[in-house]
Amino acid sequence: MTTKVYDAIVVGSGATGGWAAKQLAEKGLDVLVLEAGPQIDPKRDYKQHYFPYHLPFRGFGNREELERKQPIQSRCYACNEYGNHFFVNDLDHPYTTPPDRPFSYIRGRQVGGRTLMWGRQSYRLSDYDLKAASRDGWGEDWPIEYKDLAPYYDIVERFIGVSGMPENLPQLPDGIFLPPMPMTCGELQLKRGVEEYAKKIGNPFLRVTIGRTAILTRKPLDDALGTRKPCHYCGRCESGCHTGSYFSSLHATLPAALRTGRATLVTDAVVSHIVLDRNTGRAKGVYYVDAVTRAHREVFGRMIFLCAGALESTRILLNSRSLDGAEGICNSSGVLGHYLMDHMMGGGARGTLPNLPTKPFFRDGRPNGIYIPRFVNLERRDRPFLRGYGFQGGSGQSLWQHAKTLPGFGADFKRRVREEHPWGISLGGFGEVLPYYENHVRLNKDVVDAFGIPVLHIDVEYKDNEKKMVVDMGETAAELLEAAGAKDITISRGPMSIPGHGIHECGTARMGNDPKKSVLNKFNQAHDIPNIFVTDGACYVSIGTQNPTLTYMAITARACDYAVEELRAGRI
């Protein structure tokens, strides 16, 4: 009996796994995709058009059940009665932390991964991010420049569809955009106020733009499948999207891969570790547990692409054994598991716009907000901390929350609640957390998950740089709102978000030119074992301030091009 050997095994079916499957299969490779969770049936699993009265707990979910089975996952706003089935059961998927340093590890295990409920904000990194260490002396530069990623950003944006507005800002490179979503009048007022404020303080980097979001406002530029439709603004993205209007690997990259006839998807395959070939020292296959039957299986491939999410990919490497029996592979540098980062939140401000009419007007479900890209510490250090932050937010009318603050009672009070809908406005910061060696993950062999695999121990804390940044976030947000004419401004200078709550975990298997300081080379290929590639957030050297998923996919596309060339040349 012969055992099939695939050209490539892709672990994970989310943003990067779906892209790797598509790119490799379209280039003629025989690809196996292993997904730890089940297949998704949109007719059964999406609750996009449900109203609260359709659900037993009116959309909030059974709080007792959520607290028992999903105490970590339910910290995410999308883990409610509409979408909690897209998040893992914390009882089956534990992890550990120091008692005084919590971490929110938000996960989704199903075909499509977290692309079913992600925030969809899609921004390019610039050389201000990729070469940040050369500017301020902290950490390491990425081994790539913006010009290396730019053509792959183009490829990804053409396929997934990103709506947005060109701004010609050096710290936020423009992309290939579908038509932008419109701003509300409150947001336009903020934009005008901030532009005047930027001129006053002489900061050419300060700008308000509409969010760049992976949601179709018309057909995508690369529409070979023709199955995705423009967004109809129902506003329930995290509940699933029947029309495929927002990008998910379930509706876009995976169908493209499967259409080639050269990709095979296996669900409920919980990967435990990578198996090495004793003759060559290279990876020969992947070992997994069937989540349904608990059977143990091994599959074989010429290349392994780890796309399981930053911490899960690193967990697989840590749980694998080298040929001499040592725990962990691809770790001759000693940095595997280290330099874990997430975006820090907690600083911002909110207020009201009293000069706008309070008469209610029709509100659509625009699934987007506004964005202010990083504008501090760029050409010079102008703040008492390193790196910077961006703001995300929006402005709109309250539907009923204003009833809590209106004075009075009786018929007149009820009339005002019905007829007067004040404009609110808010800005929340996303701050860059520096890469610290001591922020790390390691295996905890005293605790295993439902499949008998050792779990991660996650040890992360924010430091003085982040503490200074969150205060500045709040104070600066208030200045921007005041410049727009906002009143009743409330400032948040913290507390900082729990690490992990940004759901942008990055690092732990970083790229670099020096094998003594990094796990991967500039093509995401492991220095120690050249037929292993890690293309998800684990490869990050520094996190920047931009939402990372677009960059994950561009990095994956670039790594796939390189891997195919190396395989065909016989170097893998």
Side-chain angles (χ1 to χ4, degrees):
M1 179 180 175
T2 57
T3 302
K4 182 177 178 63
V5 179
Y6 293 89
D7 292 321
I9 298 174
V10 176
V11 180
S13 70
T16 58
W19 198 272
K22 173 185 182 297
Q23 189 96 343
L24 296 172
E26 288 180 345
K27 288 185 175 293
L29 271 59
D30 194 5
V31 181
L32 175 66
V33 182
L34 299 178
E35 166 53 49
Q39 182 59 268
I40 290 294
D41 178 359
K43 292 182 180 179
R44 177 194 64 208
D45 297 316
Y46 288 1
K47 298 177 182 177
Q48 173 186 8
H49 293 145
Y50 281 39
F51 285 94
Y53 55 77
H54 289 136
L55 302 170
F57 296 92
R58 300 300 184 257
F60 295 102
N62 185 333
R63 302 314 299 177
E64 182 179 343
E65 187 84 349
L66 287 172
E67 283 300 315
R68 186 173 68 85
K69 292 184 177 180
Q70 295 178 299
I72 304 298
Q73 306 309 306
S74 57
R75 294 175 184 172
C76 176
Y77 73 97
C79 187
N80 53 27
E81 198 167 0
Y82 290 94
N84 71 295
H85 51 293
F86 294 142
F87 295 79
V88 300
N89 182 325
D90 288 317
L91 300 179
D92 291 338
H93 303 278
Y95 61 96
T96 61
T97 68
D100 59 339
R101 291 194 289 277
F103 185 89
S104 293
Y105 191 7
I106 307 299
R107 291 172 281 177
R109 282 195 172 185
Q110 61 268 322
V111 175
R114 290 191 306 203
T115 65
L116 297 188
M117 64 283 199
W118 69 308
R120 306 165 303 283
Q121 294 294 291
S122 301
Y123 304 103
R124 297 188 179 200
L125 295 179
S126 73
D127 283 333
Y128 285 100
D129 310 296
L130 300 171
K131 301 300 177 184
S134 290
R135 292 179 174 273
D136 60 30
W138 182 276
E140 301 285 335
D141 283 336
W142 287 58
I144 55 176
E145 301 175 57
Y146 176 70
K147 66 181 182 181
D148 299 317
L149 275 183
Y152 293 97
Y153 278 129
D154 288 353
I155 291 169
V156 171
E157 288 168 346
R158 283 184 177 277
F159 182 79
I160 70 174
V162 176
S163 68
M165 176 72 74
E167 295 289 353
N168 195 31
L169 289 170
Q171 81 276 27
L172 188 73
D174 291 328
I176 298 174
F177 298 136
L178 300 176
M181 296 181 179
M183 291 187 184
T184 68
C185 54
E187 292 160 357
L188 291 171
Q189 180 173 321
L190 175 69
K191 181 176 176 64
R192 290 190 295 269
V194 168
E195 286 174 355
E196 289 299 317
Y197 178 79
K199 291 177 184 177
K200 180 180 177 181
I201 64 173
N203 189 329
F205 300 103
L206 179 54
R207 192 83 52 82
V208 177
T209 190
I210 188 67
R212 297 175 178 178
T213 183
I215 300 178
L216 305 183
T217 50
R218 63 170 171 76
K219 292 181 65 176
L221 298 170
D222 182 357
D223 190 32
L225 294 175
T227 56
R228 299 175 62 205
K229 308 300 180 186
C231 178
H232 56 284
Y233 283 32
C234 74
R236 290 266 177 80
C237 298
E238 66 275 8
S239 306
C241 182
H242 287 285
T243 54
S245 303
Y246 72 68
F247 168 79
S248 72
S249 55
L250 179 68
H251 289 283
T253 45
L254 286 173
L258 295 171
R259 192 181 60 153
T260 67
R262 291 184 290 272
T264 302
L265 173 64
V266 176
T267 60
D268 298 301
V270 184
V271 172
S272 167
H273 58 277
I274 292 172
V275 181
L276 302 186
D277 187 318
R278 292 199 166 274
N279 296 319
T280 65
R282 298 191 174 190
K284 71 173 184 179
V286 167
Y287 196 88
Y288 73 87
V289 181
D290 187 301
V292 178
T293 68
R294 297 301 197 268
H296 289 223
R297 298 193 172 96
E298 189 174 346
V299 288
F300 302 92
R302 296 180 177 87
M303 298 188 299
I304 311 297
F305 270 72
L306 291 181
C307 302
L311 301 190
E312 189 63 27
S313 290
T314 294
R315 179 191 183 196
I316 291 167
L317 293 174
L318 290 169
N319 197 48
S320 304
R321 287 188 175 270
S322 64
L323 293 180
D324 62 6
E327 295 177 357
I329 59 174
C330 304
N331 194 25
S332 63
S333 63
V335 301
L336 180 67
H338 293 271
Y339 302 106
L340 173 58
M341 298 164 283
D342 182 36
H343 282 131
M344 182 268 295
M345 302 179 293
R350 62 178 60 248
T352 60
L353 296 172
N355 60 332
L356 294 179
T358 62
K359 181 179 178 180
F361 73 100
F362 174 74
R363 287 184 59 189
D364 59 29
R366 186 195 70 183
N368 197 7
I370 54 173
Y371 187 57
I372 301 178
R374 175 185 167 188
F375 56 95
V376 301
N377 291 344
L378 288 169
E379 288 302 317
R380 61 184 178 85
R381 184 172 174 183
D382 51 23
R383 301 297 162 103
F385 50 83
L386 296 178
R387 310 288 164 89
Y389 53 82
F391 287 118
Q392 297 184 32
S395 176
Q397 285 183 300
S398 165
L399 294 181
W400 56 265
Q401 294 92 334
H402 56 291
K404 299 177 183 177
T405 57
L406 280 178
F409 59 92
D412 185 62
F413 172 77
K414 294 177 182 178
R415 179 193 61 77
R416 293 183 65 193
V417 171
R418 287 194 307 269
E419 298 178 3
E420 298 180 14
H421 295 259
W423 281 84
I425 189 164
S426 65
L427 294 173
F430 277 66
E432 176 169 357
V433 173
L434 295 177
Y436 302 105
Y437 177 85
E438 55 270 32
N439 282 350
H440 73 283
V441 300
R442 62 181 184 270
L443 287 184
N444 181 350
K445 292 201 166 184
D446 294 329
V447 181
V448 298
D449 64 15
F451 313 100
I453 303 170
V455 306
L456 286 178
H457 181 76
I458 305 174
D459 191 344
V460 182
E461 67 174 344
Y462 295 145
K463 301 183 185 294
D464 286 343
N465 199 71
E466 291 73 47
K467 292 174 183 177
K468 293 176 181 177
M469 186 184 294
V470 75
V471 173
D472 195 81
M473 278 181 185
E475 293 175 350
T476 302
E479 291 176 11
L480 299 182
L481 295 187
E482 186 176 359
K487 303 296 182 183
D488 305 317
I489 296 173
T490 302
I491 304 174
S492 172
R493 302 178 180 87
M496 295 180 289
S497 56
I498 295 173
H501 196 66
I503 323 179
H504 294 162
E505 64 274 7
C506 296
T508 66
R510 68 179 182 172
M511 304 165 70
N513 291 322
D514 187 349
K516 295 180 181 179
K517 295 181 178 180
S518 57
V519 177
L520 312 169
N521 69 13
K522 64 181 181 179
F523 293 104
N524 299 80
Q525 180 182 33
H527 290 301
D528 296 351
I529 304 175
N531 66 336
I532 294 177
F533 292 80
V534 184
T535 70
D536 53 29
C539 75
Y540 261 46
V541 180
S542 58
I543 195 171
T545 60
Q546 298 91 317
N547 301 52
T549 305
L550 179 70
T551 300
Y552 296 168
M553 291 188 278
I555 284 173
T556 300
R558 181 172 181 268
C560 287
D561 271 3
Y562 172 81
V564 170
E565 182 179 326
E566 292 294 289
L567 184 67
R568 289 176 175 163
R571 292 187 288 268
I572 292 180

